[in-house]
């Protein structure tokens, strides 16, 4: 005999609790085709609820095709395909245990559980960055095209209208001349890294019977470092300094990939100098490498004219350019892109198709129209002005609080780094004091992944990171106030 009881303290409405109870009972075969449900009056009295509550629950069950109402008989189950219960015991047999895969490293610098504190997290844009007014207007307008976007498969490379608009966008924002055919839309930069890892690292290991050699920056973005390691690459980290990657330390050996963030080094914030950009491109030709240029947040530049992207200087088609809309629209849209050299296009296109057959087609069309009608560029301009004000406030405040420190990353992006000659113990104590007051920031120790070892051989400073994209002006003032109070406390 089934017994239905309601939890009146639950946030789930009573009618939904009744529906869920019978839905589960019918699906699992506790109620079979032909069984009767209690009448509305009987059920209402038993559960001490209004009759309308039972009526609405039963109507949901009828709409779902589980029951029907028969005049003079009542409500009867008509569902004929309950889920079969698994056997209570399966005979065990001797054999080898299943393989237990080793998990990849987790990128804690990208995602961590949010608390109530103000978190100066790197790479986080303004939570109000998404153009909701434009989205609502676009999404509420009826369109046959939108129906087709949701009900049909489209090119895994991405919608052509968006790729076509991005040709102009990349030329205006980063000085890159490319074609729509060379652009592939991805689920953020991380998928782009995964695609390239599959194509280069796995293929090289299988076809050449040896490890793929990858050069990275030190420190390096965890999402790339852990991925290259997990796929079994032979990695050479090269330290960065105030002018970016130390190109004089690049290994003169056969190399397949070199991963860099030249416009705003992640996480240190340095900019790769023009001379080193030239040197890196020459080295790539010499050792046979492709360069992955991760331009994750360089669309926001401040003060001076930005240097051209590596891809804009690439006359030998050696640079794979990566970008994202996570910083301009929001990480939740999961839209990024690759600009691929001609030689790599077939491999990347086919691997993209095999992985997931495409990315967020509806949002791609929305973004394409946003670019076409210039709203996207106005949106970028407003964000850039807002971020510039936040950066100035944070940079000036940190300069006053830490006059002996060195601030990097103030020419682009959404975070600053602060290098200071203090012990890790002192910085950890400062962190703890700030966290107690509701302010959180990261240090190099917090996000370390192993790539920073080469950098640490040449540097002993502590490094603190302050993201400002996700904080409003008043919150940044709070951060600075708490830091000042924490520094005034006795050590």
């Amino acid at each position: 005999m089934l017994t239905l009881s309601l939890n009146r303290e639950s946030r789930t409405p009573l009618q939904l609790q009744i529906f869920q109870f019978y839905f589960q009972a019918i699906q699992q075969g506790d109620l079979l085709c032909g069984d009767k449900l209690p009448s509305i009056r009987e059920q209402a009295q038993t559960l001490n609820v209004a009759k309308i509550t039972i009526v609405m629950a039963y109507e949901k069950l009828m709409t779902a095709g589980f029951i029907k109402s028969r005049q003079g008989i009542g409500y009867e189950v008509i569902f004929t395909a309950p889920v079969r219960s698994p056997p209570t015991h399966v005979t065990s047999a001797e054999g080898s245990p299943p393989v237990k895969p080793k998990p990849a490293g987790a990128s804690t610098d990208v995602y961590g559980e949010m608390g109530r504190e103000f978190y100066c997290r790197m790479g986080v844009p303004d939570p109000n960055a998404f153009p909701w007014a434009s989205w609502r207007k676009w999404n509420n307008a009826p369109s046959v095209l939108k129906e087709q976007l949701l009900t049909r498969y489209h090119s895994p490379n991405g919608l052509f209208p968006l790729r076509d608009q991005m040709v102009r966008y990349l030329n205006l924002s980063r000085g890159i001349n490319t074609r729509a055919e060379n652009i592939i839309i991805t689920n953020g930069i991380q998928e782009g890294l995964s695609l390239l890892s599959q194509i280069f690292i796995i293929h090289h290991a299988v076809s050449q019977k040896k490890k793929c050699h990858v050069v990275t920056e030190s420190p390096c973005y965890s999402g790339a470092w852990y991925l290259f390691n997990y796929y079994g690459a032979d990695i050479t980290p090269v330290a960065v300094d105030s002018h970016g990657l130390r190109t004089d330390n690049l290994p003169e050996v056969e190399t397949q990939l070199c991963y860099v963030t030249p416009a705003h080094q992640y996480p240190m914030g340095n900019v790769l100098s023009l001379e080193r950009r030239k040197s890196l491109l020459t080295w790539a030709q010499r050792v046979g490498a492709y360069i992955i240029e991760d331009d994750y947040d360089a669309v926001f530049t401040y003060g001076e004219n930005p240097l051209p992207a590596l891809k804009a200087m690439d006359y030998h088609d050696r640079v794979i350019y990566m970008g994202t809309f996570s910083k301009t629209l929001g990480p939740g849209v999961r839209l990024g892109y690759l600009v691929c050299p001609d030689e790599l296009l077939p491999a990347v296109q086919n691997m993209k198709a095999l992985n997931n057959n495409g990315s967020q087609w509806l949002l791609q069309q929305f973004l394409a129209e946003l670019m076409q009608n210039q709203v996207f560029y106005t949106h970028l301009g407003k964000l850039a002005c807002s971020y510039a004000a936040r950066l100035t406030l944070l940079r000036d405040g940190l300069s006053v609080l830490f006059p002996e420190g060195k601030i990097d990353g103030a020419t682009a992006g959404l975070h600053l780094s602060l290098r200071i000659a203090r012990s890790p113990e002192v910085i950890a104590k400062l962190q703890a004091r700030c966290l107690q007051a509701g302010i959180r920031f990261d240090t190099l120790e917090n996000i370390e992944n192993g790539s920073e070892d080469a950098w640490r051989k040449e540097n002993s400073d502590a490094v603190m990171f302050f993201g400002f994209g996700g904080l409003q002006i008043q919150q940044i003032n709070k951060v600075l106030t708490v830091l000042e109070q924490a520094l005034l406390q006795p050590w």
Side-chain angles (χ1 to χ4, degrees), residues 78-98:
I78 58 172
F79 186 70
T80 58
V83 177
R84 293 186 178 182
S85 299
T88 56
H89 177 72
V90 178
T91 305
S92 60
E94 295 295 328
S96 301

Side-chain angles (χ1 to χ4, degrees), residues 291-445:
I291 299 170
I292 303 175
E293 180 180 12
D294 184 347
D295 218 14
Y296 65 102
D297 67 358
V299 68
F300 298 114
T301 56
Y302 314 103
E304 58 190 50
N305 291 326
L307 291 171
L310 273 177
K311 186 64 179 175
M313 302 168 61
D314 178 27
Y315 300 110
H316 300 280
D317 225 13
R318 290 300 183 97
V319 176
I320 308 164
Y321 183 85
M322 308 178 67
T324 178
F325 292 102
S326 292
K327 308 300 183 286
T328 54
L329 296 179
V333 302
R334 303 312 305 139
L335 285 181
Y337 51 91
L338 296 174
V339 180
C340 295
D342 290 336
E343 287 292 323
L344 296 181
L345 269 176
V348 178
Q349 288 170 346
N350 291 352
M351 188 58 70
K352 170 64 179 176
L354 289 173
N355 269 258
N356 50 39
N357 241 347
S359 304
Q360 294 277 21
W361 290 311
L362 194 66
L363 281 169
Q364 287 185 53
Q365 184 62 34
F366 167 66
L367 180 54
E369 294 184 24
L370 211 64
M371 287 181 166
Q372 186 177 25
N373 61 26
Q374 306 302 306
V375 173
F376 181 72
Y377 297 96
T378 303
H379 169 72
L380 285 187
K382 290 179 180 178
L383 281 179
C385 289
S386 177
Y387 289 147
R390 299 178 204 188
L391 178 144
T392 301
L393 175 62
L394 181 61
R395 181 196 59 203
D396 292 349
L398 291 175
S399 298
V400 171
L401 294 175
F402 301 94
E404 75 281 26
K406 183 178 186 303
I407 297 174
D408 284 313
T411 60
L414 299 178
H415 78 272
L416 301 174
S417 70
L418 171 65
R419 288 178 55 181
I420 190 165
R422 298 196 186 185
S423 69
E425 292 75 21
V426 169
I427 299 302
K429 187 177 289 186
L430 177 64
Q431 264 189 304
R433 289 176 179 177
C434 290
L435 191 58
Q436 193 172 17
I439 299 299
R440 180 179 173 187
F441 62 88
D442 289 321
T443 66
L444 190 56
E445 284 75 15

Side-chain angles (χ1 to χ4, degrees), residues 1-59:
M1 182 69 180
L2 294 176
T3 303
L4 168 59
S5 60
L6 301 177
N7 181 0
R8 299 179 186 275
E9 296 181 359
S10 171
R11 293 183 178 181
T12 304
L14 298 181
Q15 58 155 301
L16 190 54
Q17 292 185 43
I18 297 168
F19 168 80
Q20 290 172 345
F21 175 82
Y22 284 113
F23 175 87
Q24 181 174 331
I26 295 170
Q27 281 274 13
Q28 293 179 348
D30 295 326
L31 286 173
L32 300 174
C33 183
D35 288 347
K36 306 294 189 300
L37 268 61
S39 69
I40 292 174
R41 177 180 294 180
E42 178 187 352
Q43 191 74 283
Q45 290 176 345
T46 302
L47 299 176
N48 192 25
V49 297
K51 290 181 182 179
I52 188 62
T53 302
I54 309 300
V55 169
M56 294 176 72
Y58 282 8
E59 284 183 351

Side-chain angles (χ1 to χ4, degrees), residues 95-112:
S96 301
V99 175
K100 185 178 181 181
K102 181 183 178 182
S107 304
T108 55
D109 49 344
V110 177
Y111 174 74

Side-chain angles (χ1 to χ4, degrees), residues 91-161:
T91 305
S92 60
E94 295 295 328
S96 301
V99 175
K100 185 178 181 181
K102 181 183 178 182
S107 304
T108 55
D109 49 344
V110 177
Y111 174 74
E113 292 295 336
M114 291 294 292
R116 294 184 177 180
E117 68 275 358
F118 292 160
Y119 189 1
C120 306
R121 179 182 288 171
M122 295 184 289
V124 175
D126 191 319
N128 301 313
F130 191 82
W132 287 111
S134 297
W135 168 257
R136 282 190 289 266
K137 181 179 178 181
W138 183 86
N139 194 45
N140 290 337
S143 167
V144 174
L145 174 60
K146 283 185 281 190
E147 294 178 7
Q148 293 173 346
L149 288 169
L150 286 172
T151 58
R152 299 180 185 179
Y153 285 104
H154 305 272
S155 171
N157 297 0
L159 294 182
F160 183 81

